[in-house]
Amino acid sequence: MPTEQEIGGFKQKVDNVLQSTRGLFVSIPGFRAEVVQQFDGRGANIILMDGRDLTFILEGRIDLHDALQYKIERASRDGKVFCPLHEMGC
């Protein structure tokens, strides 16, 4: 599972490009809750995807575009960088 430093380094790269840029960090084994909490907050410009999310997409339960849109909306509205797709009933 990625560490806070690894995700923080990625976020810093995203922060240094255009303001409207979002970054997608994929970790097949998932994320520890305490690491995710470090990046939650309004205006989150990164979103996280785990292996279960990726499986939902590859199995055709949800379209990639729809999955990303859901995650971006939750990040923008609620400041949540990780919103598992199974929570939306895929």
Side-chain angles (χ1 to χ4, degrees):
M1 293 189 189
T3 65
E4 182 179 341
Q5 292 79 18
E6 291 168 326
I7 297 174
F10 176 70
K11 183 176 181 350
Q12 187 173 25
K13 289 178 183 179
V14 173
D15 288 345
N16 290 328
V17 293
L18 292 174
Q19 187 175 5
S20 62
T21 300
R22 254 192 230 290
L24 173 64
F25 194 107
V26 180
S27 172
I28 298 303
F31 305 92
R32 290 190 315 276
E34 65 272 11
V35 173
V36 172
Q37 290 173 351
Q38 294 295 316
F39 297 97
D40 278 344
R42 298 260 177 222
N45 65 346
I46 62 169
I47 53 176
L48 307 178
M49 181 179 287
D50 67 4
R52 188 173 182 185
D53 289 343
L54 193 55
T55 298
F56 277 34
I57 293 165
L58 295 174
E59 288 179 346
R61 293 181 176 189
I62 187 169
D63 180 74
L64 175 61
H65 178 269
D66 294 337
L68 292 174
Q69 186 163 357
Y70 168 74
K71 288 179 170 285
I72 290 168
E73 286 175 5
R74 290 291 308 268
S76 297
R77 185 183 69 224
D78 305 329
K80 298 289 187 183
V81 296
F82 180 55
C83 294
L85 295 177
H86 71 271
E87 290 180 357
M88 68 179 289
C90 295

